[in-house]
Amino acid sequence: MWKMKNPVKNPFLIILIFIFLLGTANAQEITQSEYYFVIQDNGNTIAGINLYGSGEISLPIQSDVEQVYVEGGLYMKENETITIAIGTTESATLIYQTSLLTSKTDDKWTFYAEMENQTEKTIMIALPSNVIIQEIDENAMIETGDFTKIYFNNTNPINFSYSFPSNAVIPSENSNSSSNPELNHSGISHHYSGSDSDTRNITFDLAEVLINISEGSKPIRIASSETVSYRIPIIACIVIGSVGVLLFVSLYFIKSARKRTISPRQVQILQTLTENESKIVKLLLENKEILRRSFIEKKLELAKSSLAATLNNLERKKIVEIDKTLTTHRIKLTDWFLKI
Amino acid sequence: MTNKTYKIKNAFLILLIWILLINNVFTIASQDISLDDLAPKSRICDINTVYEDAKLMSDEEKQCELEYFKKELELSNKTSIENKTLEILVQKKAGEKDNLIKIMNLTRLNYEEHREKTILELFVIKKRFIEKFYEYSKKDLKNKEDVKMQINKYISMVDKQQKARLNISDASIKKLYTDKNSDDFIRTMLPS
């Protein structure tokens, strides 16, 4: 027969009861939230939060936040925390502006936001349409369009990095130079303007942009898409020519490198030679062509008598051949030596 | 039984009767005094007056409590407190005396016509927050004004019976990226 255990002595039952009590306690808490972070191109962030439920909640807030807008609840801002109490309204909103959620290193921006751990969170982050997301949590969902949206679900803290493209063109006001956006050497000048549709239609050839940038430090003008289209064949020819030259040079160096290689057998023979003999053979191997006697004499700084004796020895060993038909004798390696 | 024994017994009985009589007289006298205490003309209602069940209060007791709360909430003769609200306040006085004192102080910051609603709503807010909120309001005049503004805004929201929710849309975000006017964007985000 099963015997009922004393519940007081059973820790498992006590834990179960405790969990049940915790659940009932949380029944009247703030349990859900929606976070919206709208990041502007200058790094400022406008944060908007919807809170659902009744009770009290403490949210981390940045030190530069001057004004908070709370609806549907009572609140107190102390240091870097805001405490919100919600009663029968059962929902509250919080809005604030901060520049401390983003930081910039060189051209890379980093967004970092810590949130409370009390609620089930849905998070939406909006960024300008031209941003390039670099490092981000794999669970994030990115949506592009008029602006970039990133969605997170219950992720805390939020941390990702992004950048703006170096050839990006940012619209400004009160200008009609839609076909002549200007770049200065440090980056993008915000002199482009026009409607949204204009912005979408303007395209640049990256090669043209790079060529113009390399011209010097003086302010340069980027041609519009129409001008660019005329120059495309010329640029293509230059690019193909450059690639051809690079290939030729590469092949030449590869061939030269191969020529310079000495076979193990040649190395063994070289080890048997005297110092002067070895020097002459190495010089002939490096140049791989017929050398004049005077050139060898000058190059190796050998005395005429010494050179003559050494060359005779090498000829005797069938390593070099000496052509004595002309006044200046010509020396080359024998076919036998080159083949081994 | 001898004559002497009989005399002693009689004296003892007479003494006993005297003691009983004196006791009765004192008992009746003390009862008169306590009845005087319960007379309506001498009733005083304050923070320490406690009723086990507010629904069982007599009309006189209710009237006394009503006067007490009206005085504490600084309500003029033209403003009254509903019977249901009074019963809740009497119950709170019995169970949450300290919290009631703080809530009454905070309620007085709101306009007279909203005070009855305010005191009931503040009892829904967690005690620990009320405690901190009360201390914050006492700190200086600026905080007091802030708390006054917050309570007034909160009660207006309760009156509207409307859930607070941000007005955020793709169109408003797109507009922010176009005109760069963050103040305007924040204004559009606020619940209407």
Side-chain angles (χ1 to χ4, degrees):
Chain A
M1 191 179 159
W2 292 97
K3 208 174 176 182
M4 191 74 178
K5 279 186 176 178
N6 184 356
V8 181
K9 287 182 179 174
N10 189 342
F12 181 68
L13 270 176
I14 293 167
I15 291 165
L16 268 180
I17 292 163
F18 182 71
I19 291 167
F20 173 76
L21 287 172
L22 267 181
T24 40
N26 282 333
Q28 288 187 335
E29 290 293 332
I30 300 165
T31 52
Q32 280 195 312
S33 62
E34 293 164 359
Y35 284 78
Y36 298 90
F37 294 106
V38 182
I39 305 167
Q40 295 172 278
D41 46 18
N42 58 6
N44 278 350
T45 305
I46 298 168
I49 304 160
N50 280 327
L51 298 164
Y52 300 105
S54 294
E56 187 189 314
I57 190 166
S58 291
L59 306 160
I61 202 164
Q62 290 62 48
S63 57
D64 70 329
V65 174
E66 287 175 358
Q67 200 172 1
V68 290
Y69 304 87
V70 178
E71 297 281 338
L74 301 169
Y75 65 93
M76 266 186 309
K77 189 172 156 276
E78 292 166 311
N79 302 324
E80 291 180 20
T81 305
I82 183 164
T83 308
I84 300 176
I86 309 173
T88 51
T89 53
E90 292 179 340
S91 67
T93 63
L94 165 68
I95 306 169
Y96 61 89
Q97 196 171 2
T98 176
S99 63
L100 298 180
L101 288 174
T102 56
S103 57
K104 192 185 179 193
T105 314
D106 299 327
D107 289 333
K108 186 180 168 186
W109 287 86
T110 305
F111 177 87
Y112 182 84
E114 272 183 20
M115 288 155 282
E116 38 67 41
N117 290 316
Q118 187 178 322
T119 61
E120 292 274 318
K121 291 173 270 296
T122 54
I123 304 134
M124 193 277 267
I125 297 168
L127 290 145
S129 58
N130 57 342
V131 294
I132 301 161
I133 307 295
Q134 292 181 338
E135 293 156 31
I136 196 160
D137 190 287
E138 58 182 12
N139 297 320
M141 204 175 82
I142 303 172
E143 193 182 304
T144 53
D146 291 327
F147 55 91
T148 304
K149 287 185 207 171
I150 309 171
Y151 294 97
F152 292 92
N153 213 0
N154 265 331
T155 310
N156 190 19
I158 300 282
N159 190 13
F160 65 90
S161 60
Y162 63 95
S163 64
F164 291 95
S166 55
N167 62 335
V169 176
I170 299 166
S172 65
E173 291 177 342
N174 307 324
S175 169
N176 294 318
S177 58
S178 60
S179 62
N180 289 314
E182 288 186 0
L183 281 185
N184 57 35
H185 203 59
S186 60
I188 308 128
S189 66
H190 297 192
H191 290 215
Y192 173 84
S193 84
S195 66
D196 288 348
S197 57
D198 292 337
T199 314
R200 281 186 225 107
N201 291 334
I202 295 295
T203 53
F204 299 105
D205 187 274
L206 185 61
E208 177 73 1
V209 173
L210 293 172
I211 287 162
N212 281 340
I213 287 167
S214 67
E215 278 177 1
S217 60
K218 63 183 179 184
I220 52 170
R221 184 181 290 272
I222 290 182
S224 70
S225 57
E226 285 175 28
T227 320
V228 167
S229 63
Y230 290 114
R231 294 183 184 175
I232 286 171
I234 301 163
I235 294 159
C237 287
I238 293 166
V239 170
I240 291 163
S242 307
V243 171
V245 168
L246 272 173
L247 272 172
F248 179 77
V249 171
S250 307
L251 281 171
Y252 175 79
F253 279 109
I254 290 164
K255 211 173 173 183
S256 307
R258 275 185 191 168
K259 275 180 183 175
R260 277 187 213 114
T261 56
I262 302 169
S263 70
R265 182 81 181 112
Q266 286 171 336
V267 172
Q268 281 176 352
I269 291 168
L270 280 170
Q271 283 168 352
T272 63
L273 302 175
T274 61
E275 193 185 341
N276 285 346
E277 287 170 353
S278 178
K279 277 182 184 174
I280 293 165
V281 173
K282 279 178 187 170
L283 186 68
L284 287 161
L285 277 169
E286 279 170 14
N287 291 284
K288 213 70 180 178
E289 57 188 19
I290 299 163
L291 297 178
R292 284 180 300 173
R293 192 183 180 126
S294 58
F295 175 81
I296 297 167
E297 188 187 317
K298 201 174 176 183
K299 188 85 180 170
L300 301 176
E301 294 173 349
L302 292 170
K304 279 182 183 174
S305 56
S306 177
L307 181 63
T310 311
L311 284 172
N312 285 334
N313 284 340
L314 285 171
E315 195 176 22
R316 195 167 42 80
K317 289 176 185 174
K318 308 282 185 199
I319 293 172
V320 298
E321 284 174 22
I322 306 166
D323 182 5
K324 296 176 181 173
T325 49
L326 296 169
T327 319
T328 311
H329 294 177
R330 292 169 191 275
I331 296 105
K332 69 167 187 175
L333 290 165
T334 59
D335 291 339
W336 168 81
F337 185 78
L338 287 170
K339 281 174 188 171
I340 58 168
Chain B
M1 188 183 286
T2 59
N3 197 21
K4 196 179 175 182
T5 314
Y6 181 76
K7 279 181 181 175
I8 291 166
K9 195 180 175 182
N10 272 349
F12 181 75
L13 278 171
I14 289 161
L15 187 69
L16 192 72
I17 288 161
W18 268 107
I19 289 165
L20 285 170
L21 278 171
I22 290 162
N23 183 43
N24 280 346
V25 167
F26 273 106
T27 310
I28 290 160
S30 64
Q31 276 178 350
D32 285 345
I33 291 160
S34 63
L35 282 169
D36 280 348
D37 284 345
L38 293 168
K41 62 180 179 184
S42 61
R43 182 185 297 280
I44 298 163
C45 289
D46 60 18
I47 192 70
N48 295 315
T49 319
V50 171
Y51 295 92
E52 282 182 11
D53 191 343
K55 285 179 183 173
L56 298 177
M57 285 191 300
S58 67
D59 288 346
E60 286 170 6
E61 287 164 345
K62 275 184 183 173
Q63 188 59 35
C64 182
E65 288 296 309
L66 180 69
E67 291 304 320
Y68 166 72
F69 282 111
K70 278 185 77 170
K71 187 182 150 203
E72 286 296 315
L73 296 176
E74 292 176 0
L75 299 176
S76 62
N77 287 332
K78 62 177 182 179
T79 316
S80 190
I81 297 172
E82 280 185 21
N83 194 36
K84 204 177 164 184
T85 309
L86 183 69
E87 284 175 6
I88 292 167
L89 294 177
V90 169
Q91 274 173 358
K92 296 289 180 190
K93 192 164 73 167
E96 302 173 28
K97 194 172 84 176
D98 291 343
N99 195 34
L100 174 70
I101 293 167
K102 290 178 181 101
I103 286 177
M104 283 194 299
N105 275 295
L106 291 169
T107 303
R108 278 199 296 269
L109 297 173
N110 206 358
Y111 298 108
E112 188 183 335
E113 60 269 31
H114 294 140
R115 281 180 199 158
E116 187 181 341
K117 182 91 178 174
T118 306
I119 197 164
L120 291 175
E121 280 303 322
L122 289 179
F123 272 113
V124 182
I125 303 291
K126 285 203 165 187
K127 276 185 206 172
R128 64 177 176 196
F129 182 84
I130 292 291
E131 201 173 323
K132 285 186 279 179
F133 203 49
Y134 172 65
E135 292 301 324
Y136 171 76
S137 73
K138 282 201 307 182
K139 205 174 172 184
D140 55 40
L141 203 64
K142 191 186 156 204
N143 285 11
K144 194 177 171 180
E145 283 302 310
D146 181 35
V147 169
K148 183 180 172 179
M149 182 271 293
Q150 281 194 47
I151 292 173
N152 186 31
K153 209 165 84 169
Y154 179 69
I155 299 302
S156 305
M157 198 85 183
V158 173
D159 276 342
K160 283 183 197 168
Q161 293 183 325
Q162 184 190 337
K163 293 234 173 193
R165 198 182 165 88
L166 295 170
N167 285 322
I168 190 162
S169 65
D170 284 6
S172 63
I173 296 171
K174 194 181 162 187
K175 192 171 177 287
L176 171 73
Y177 286 132
T178 311
D179 62 20
K180 318 272 182 204
N181 191 336
S182 49
D183 290 340
D184 195 33
F185 178 67
I186 289 170
R187 267 195 294 277
T188 55
M189 273 174 97
L190 290 168
S192 49

